[in-house]
Structures are given as C-alpha cells and as structure tokens.
Amino acid sequence: MMSNPRFIVVAILCGAFLTAASLFVKNEYYVFTAYFVLQYVVLATAWNILGGYVGYVNFGTTAFLAIGLYSAVAINKWLDFPIPVLILIAGVLCGGIGLAMGYLTIRLRGIYFTIATLALSVVVQTLITNWDYVGGSRGLYIMRPSEAPLFGSYVNYLFFLMVILAVLSIVTARVIEKSNFGLGLAAVRDDETAAAAAGVPTLRLKLIAATISGAFMGMAGAPLPFYLTYVEPSSSFSLAYTVNSVAMPLVGGTASWMGPVIGAVLLGSMQQAMTVLISSSVNLLVVGVLLVLFVVAAPNGILGLLQTFRGRKPKADANPIANLLVPEKQSRR
Amino acid sequence: MAQFANLLLDALVSGILVGGFYAAMAVGISIAFGMLGISNIAHPAVILLGSFIAYLLNTNFGWDPMLVGMLAAVPFYYLGTALYTGYEVAFERRGAELIRGLAFFFGLLFITEVGLQLAFGVDYRLVGAAYIGPTLDFGPLSLPLRMLLPFLGSIVLLAGLQLFFATTFMGRAIMAVAQDKLALQLMGAAPTRIKRIAFGISTATAALAGAFLIIVQPVEPSMGRDYIGRIFAICVLGGVGSLPGTFLAAVIVGVAESITATFYGPSWSPAVAFGMLLVALVVRPTGLFGRA
C-alpha cells in the first residue's frame, strides 16, 4: 500500500501529465469532453466522502453544484475576481451549507438528510429563478476572455483548474480513507450505536464529512459558468448531475477512492459518446438502468467484481453473484 | 378590503381543494415510508405512469380518467407486490436498505421518467371529460369541478384506507408490522407477506393519484420530481404513517402554497413545502400527529 506522500506525488504527476497533454490537443471538443469527465470525478468523489464512507445519501448534488455556479456568476458580475478565488469562495459557501444541512438533519435518521437534500435543490432553484441579478429564469451570458495567460486558450485554462480540483478531491478522499478519521467514518457507517459506544464522536465526524463533501461539489460548480458561457436555472439544476454523482460511485464501488474515479471515467465518457451518437435522454436512461443493475446485482461495484475475479474469498453477503457459488444458506434475519 | 377578503377566500378554498388532492399523492408514501420503512422515492414517477395510462386510454378510447384510475389500481397493486418482492430479496434480506435501497428507487424514478419522456415526449398532455371545464358557483365562491372531484375522490380513498387499517385483520396486521416486526413474527405471522400486500396497496394508490393529477392539470414526464419534496414534506408534517395526519398536513401545505402564490406570485410557491419540511425536521421530526 502506497504511503500518503508518495500517493500525492503520483497524483500530482498524473495531473501535470493531463494538463500537458491537453495543450497538445488541437480539437477543443476533446478538451471539453475531458473537462466534463473530470468534473464528474470531483462530484462523484465528493459524493462518496459522505455517501460511501459514512453512508449518508445526498440527492442534492445539483443544489451544491448550482450554488457554486451561481455564487461564481454573482461575485464575478459584482467584483470581477479571478476564477481560483471564485472557486475558493464557492467551496467555503457550499461547505457551510453542507455543514448546516448536516447539523439540521443528520442528527435524525439518515433518510431525513436525503429528503432534505432533495428539497434543497428545489428551494435553491426557486431562489435563483427569482433572483434577477443573475438573470432569473431568463438566464445570463458570461463574458470570458478568449485567451488566458500561459495556457493560450481559455478552455485549456479551465481544464487545468478542473485537473487541480480532481487531484485535490482524490487526494483528500484517499487521505481520509487511510486516516483515523476515515476509520471513524466507517465505524459510523457500519454501526452507529456501537461506534458511539466505543467513544467515536459520531456527530462531529459526520458533520466534517458533510462539510468536505459539500465544499468539493460547490468548487466543481464555480468554473462551470465560464465553461458554458450561458447559465439559466432549469439546465443548471438538471437532475443529471445528481443521478450521475450517485450512480458513478455505486457503479465503481464505494469502498475506496478508486471506485468513484472508475465510475466517473466510465459513465462520463460513455455519456459523452452517446450524446453525440444517440440522444441525451437515452444516455440518462442507460445511467439509470446501470445504477439499478449494479445496486441489485453487484452492490460493491466494479471494484467488488474485480476482487471476486481475482479469487479472493468473497464475502457471502457482499456479492450475490458470488453468493450463488457459496452453497451454505445464510441465516435470515 | 372586500377585494382582499375575496382573494383570501379564493386562495383558502383552492388551497384546501389542492391539498386534498395532494393527500391522494402522499398516502402511498405514507404507507410505504411511514408504515413499512421503505423510502420509495420512485412513487411520484409511478403516479405519473398512472397519469399517462389515463391519458392513453382517454385519448384513444374515450374512457373516463377516474374509471381508468380505479381499473389501473389492480395491475398497479401487482406491480407493487412484484417490486417489493425484488426489493426484499435484493436489499432487506441483506440489510443494506438505506443507501442501496435509496439508490435503487432513485434509479427507478429516473428510468420511469426518461422512459415516459421517450414514449410521450416532453409536451404537456391532458385528458377530456365532462367535468374538466365547468365550475360550481356558490355566491362569490367558484369551485372548478376538475379540482372538486379529485378532492372528493381523495377523501374517499383515505377514508377507505383508514377503515381498512382500523377494522380488517390484514389492515391491523399491517399496522402491527409498522410498530413491531419482531413481535409480529413471534405471533406466528409472516412480516414479508404482510409488507408485500401493504406495498401493493401503496402502489395501487398511485394509479388513482395519477388519474387525479391529470384531471387537475396537464402533465409532463419530469413533473413527478417537483412532487417528491412536497409529498415527503406532507408525510413528515403529518407524522409518518398516520392517514388523518397525512390529510391534514396535505391541506395545510396546499393552503400555504396557494396563499403564497396569491400574494407573492406563483414562482415562489414551490419553495413553500420544502421550507415547511426543513422547519418540521428541525423543530418536530415526529410530525404534528406523530408519536414521539
């Protein structure tokens, strides 16, 4: 198992390689596509920090992303800050909202957190639709310079920022996973009462995870208006962001940082290809079907399947396909 | 002043009518979520499926949407029992209900919605019936029949269900499963079978609610999503699992939305239910009528 500093170096090298490669790509469409996939790497990793590690399902990815997006739009219109600053502000704002949502609802059963996050998207969408400064329901065009210093094209600059966010989120997820904090989160997920009895400060851990998760979702949204150049509420609040950020970790596997990355790269590039070849509603249908298939038939995702194929003794209750190979009957609850 | 009073009266009455209709949409969740502990967030999508069945049979054969709703309740019951059987095998038995169960229903919601979109497009669809246009006038009050009928239908539905739960053997068994599954098992009953029937009933109500929905307003496939939060808000406010509570909470939400729409503009009304939900979760998560 790689140590944390070494992992960080490898991740940064991968990011540098991706950025360098993007500078040599002539067709900007491919850079756009890669940006889209990387954005989902950030969203899926952020979702997994709360959903996979702690077991609290957030159906409000869209809300967090849109808050990040619109905070960047509003502050850019008002003060004209550079994008990295906008990303930081969006992170602080959405981290705060994640903390507040967590504080209000996580003390109750997990399901209430889920419902509240679903509700959050509708509330935020209503607020934005009624807020004229950022265009209201008509939408708003965002002027972006055609060139960026050092990078030549602005698209390459945005791509570079998203690479940084992706590296940052993956490193965060992996550091959490290997730390005592991550062990505490896993204890909460597996049995909250037992964890609390063993002295794990369950509420505090959950709130920290909710804050980190929300912050990354918001940060992923901040560069988005400059990428789209036009924002309006109904597409900014598309349910596709939510369904993807749930489906990607579950398809990839929620147990490790690798799962969301695998899921995001697979589903993200598949959707880009299918949007071009077929239609965008069909590709969302496929994502939905994959999500259902995986949660029913392969609850540990692709990572779980790989482990089974590698011949590790499967946990009987973790994988129904493997379960068929295990003859003795499980005790029913 | 008289104008204000008139506006207020209108808002109140239409809020009560809409609220009654919300109760029909929420009762399925109240049963599935409140009594069985199954977070079926796909319910609104199933309701829309019901709406589109009513639309199909109405436009092609001229069938009455109310009648279609009642007829469709039977296949919907079996759809529900089949769904529960799958859910039980895949999640409940494995004890992985919360995360994966939620993701499962979320996936179903999405599949139903996109499937309807592919089949019917994104246009608004409506039904034709004798009661869609006319209104009943009582002095200054006018009650559109297309609101009044779903309201009355909803009352009949909830009263019928309440009677069923309170008086019949199966109904009481369902209530028992909601309260203490282990105790029920010790009495020699099979909780899985009882839950399957209850989930079937919950899904069957979606057929009726869907018919009501398309009578009340034209429908479009992604509309179910707007109702998820509203429906859960009603269930939480009403105290999960309590049918009279569900009805009262639905009327409260309906009136609050209608008053907001009248005095602050309709673009604000979607946020009302969710605001109420958040307040309810913070202040009183057991609902207005729930047991602590």
Side-chain angles (χ1 to χ4, degrees):
Chain A
M1 201 52 82
M2 217 185 277
S3 71
N4 272 334
R6 194 180 294 175
F7 181 82
I8 293 172
V9 171
V10 171
I12 290 175
L13 284 179
C14 287
F17 172 75
L18 275 177
T19 315
S22 78
L23 292 174
F24 289 100
V25 176
K26 284 281 171 290
N27 189 341
E28 275 199 343
Y29 171 75
Y30 293 110
V31 183
F32 268 116
T33 309
Y35 175 94
F36 175 87
V37 173
L38 277 183
Q39 176 184 305
Y40 273 128
V41 169
V42 179
L43 288 179
T45 305
W47 186 90
N48 202 43
I49 289 176
L50 191 61
Y53 297 171
V54 205
Y56 280 81
V57 183
N58 182 347
F59 282 148
T61 309
T62 301
F64 285 95
L65 183 88
I67 292 171
L69 189 161
Y70 271 101
S71 74
V73 169
I75 295 170
N76 181 58
K77 191 176 167 186
W78 180 33
L79 293 171
D80 202 20
F81 280 161
I83 301 181
V85 179
L86 297 178
I87 293 180
L88 282 181
I89 296 175
V92 172
L93 186 66
C94 290
I97 292 171
L99 177 66
M101 292 291 285
Y103 185 73
L104 293 179
T105 58
I106 268 183
R107 293 169 302 151
L108 310 166
R109 283 160 56 202
I111 173 71
Y112 289 125
F113 175 74
T114 304
I115 299 170
T117 52
L118 256 178
L120 181 71
S121 341
V122 179
V123 173
V124 177
Q125 186 171 1
T126 310
L127 291 178
I128 298 289
T129 312
N130 286 294
W131 190 15
D132 276 332
Y133 188 69
V134 292
S137 56
R138 281 170 291 115
L140 186 76
Y141 284 95
I142 287 94
M143 297 298 158
R144 72 171 187 213
S146 58
E147 299 214 328
L150 291 177
F151 289 92
S153 95
Y154 206 75
V155 173
N156 280 343
Y157 174 53
L158 289 177
F159 180 76
F160 168 67
L161 291 176
M162 197 43 82
V163 168
I164 295 182
L165 282 180
V167 168
L168 204 62
S169 63
I170 291 173
V171 165
T172 309
R174 148 106 191 194
V175 168
I176 289 177
E177 218 173 277
K178 306 287 172 226
S179 66
N180 280 339
F181 174 53
L183 286 178
L185 293 181
V188 172
R189 177 190 61 207
D190 293 340
D191 190 335
E192 187 163 346
T193 318
V200 178
T202 55
L203 181 62
R204 197 193 310 158
L205 293 192
K206 288 189 285 186
L207 291 181
I208 296 173
T211 310
I212 296 175
S213 172
F216 272 114
M217 287 177 181
M219 287 197 272
L224 191 57
F226 303 95
Y227 169 87
L228 299 170
T229 67
Y230 171 69
V231 294
E232 53 90 28
S234 70
S235 64
S236 304
F237 285 88
S238 154
L239 198 63
Y241 294 120
T242 299
V243 80
N244 270 309
S245 69
V246 177
M248 286 163 175
L250 285 167
V251 166
T254 54
S256 139
W257 62 272
M258 237 186 295
V261 177
I262 294 174
V265 171
L266 276 183
L267 291 185
S269 24
M270 182 198 80
Q271 281 175 74
Q272 281 296 305
M274 281 177 46
T275 307
V276 177
L277 299 174
I278 315 171
S279 86
S280 54
S281 29
V282 173
N283 81 46
L284 289 179
L285 185 65
V286 172
V287 173
V289 170
L290 279 176
L291 172 61
V292 169
L293 272 182
F294 267 87
V295 292
V296 170
N300 290 336
I302 293 174
L303 285 179
L305 290 178
L306 286 179
Q307 272 185 3
T308 317
F309 286 128
R310 250 191 253 147
R312 293 198 195 160
K313 192 164 186 271
K315 270 186 272 169
D317 63 346
N319 198 326
I321 296 176
N323 203 6
L324 297 176
L325 309 171
V326 182
E328 70 266 34
K329 207 164 184 179
Q330 274 178 265
S331 63
R332 283 192 195 164
R333 287 188 312 140
Chain B
M1 199 58 215
Q3 200 193 354
F4 176 81
N6 251 345
L7 267 180
L8 189 66
L9 186 68
D10 262 358
L12 264 178
V13 170
S14 69
I16 292 172
L17 290 184
V18 168
F21 148 70
Y22 285 167
M25 297 184 88
V27 67
I29 299 258
S30 209
I31 296 171
F33 178 57
M35 296 183 183
L36 311 177
I38 301 172
S39 332
N40 179 12
I41 49 176
H43 192 74
V46 181
I47 291 177
L48 273 168
L49 184 67
S51 291
F52 276 95
I53 289 174
Y55 164 76
L56 264 186
L57 294 177
N58 180 267
T59 37
N60 290 331
F61 306 107
W63 290 17
D64 181 89
M66 287 283 218
L67 177 73
V68 176
M70 281 180 246
L71 292 179
V74 178
F76 268 54
Y77 171 83
Y78 288 104
L79 176 75
T81 54
L83 203 58
Y84 178 75
T85 309
Y87 175 81
E88 200 267 335
V89 171
F91 304 106
E92 279 194 347
R93 208 174 285 178
R94 261 188 257 154
E97 292 139 77
L98 189 62
I99 307 183
R100 305 220 159 80
L102 270 171
F104 171 72
F105 282 116
F106 192 63
L108 282 188
L109 159 89
F110 212 67
I111 292 171
T112 316
E113 185 182 311
V114 179
L116 286 175
Q117 244 170 42
L118 289 174
F120 295 95
V122 290
D123 298 334
Y124 279 88
R125 308 285 176 176
L126 51 140
V127 286
Y131 45 79
I132 299 285
T135 54
L136 286 184
D137 290 314
F138 298 100
L141 261 186
S142 63
L143 305 176
L145 278 182
R146 64 174 178 84
M147 303 296 302
L148 193 60
L149 277 179
F151 175 77
L152 294 176
S154 175
I155 291 182
V156 172
L157 173 67
L158 264 84
L161 283 172
Q162 180 67 18
L163 209 64
F164 168 75
F165 285 127
T167 54
T168 64
F169 181 78
M170 184 48 76
R172 292 159 77 112
I174 292 172
M175 300 290 268
V177 108
Q179 280 176 13
D180 195 337
K181 187 173 147 184
L182 187 65
L184 191 74
Q185 239 165 339
L186 293 175
M187 308 304 286
T192 309
R193 183 174 155 259
I194 294 165
K195 287 177 91 170
R196 186 162 60 231
I197 291 171
F199 198 79
I201 295 173
S202 150
T203 313
T205 65
L208 276 169
F212 294 163
L213 175 65
I214 201 169
I215 292 172
V216 168
Q217 64 179 117
V219 299
E220 169 275 313
S222 70
M223 220 166 77
R225 220 188 281 161
D226 302 339
Y227 280 95
I228 300 176
R230 190 181 280 145
I231 290 177
F232 272 98
I234 289 169
C235 288
V236 172
L237 268 179
V240 282
S242 149
L243 296 194
T246 301
F247 187 79
L248 210 66
V251 170
I252 291 174
V253 168
V255 169
E257 278 186 354
S258 152
I259 287 183
T260 311
T262 309
F263 293 102
Y264 300 94
S267 61
W268 284 105
S269 65
V272 172
F274 308 113
M276 291 172 85
L277 171 67
L278 280 184
V279 174
L281 285 179
V282 174
V283 179
R284 193 170 158 77
T286 50
L288 297 172
F289 308 93
R291 287 178 296 262

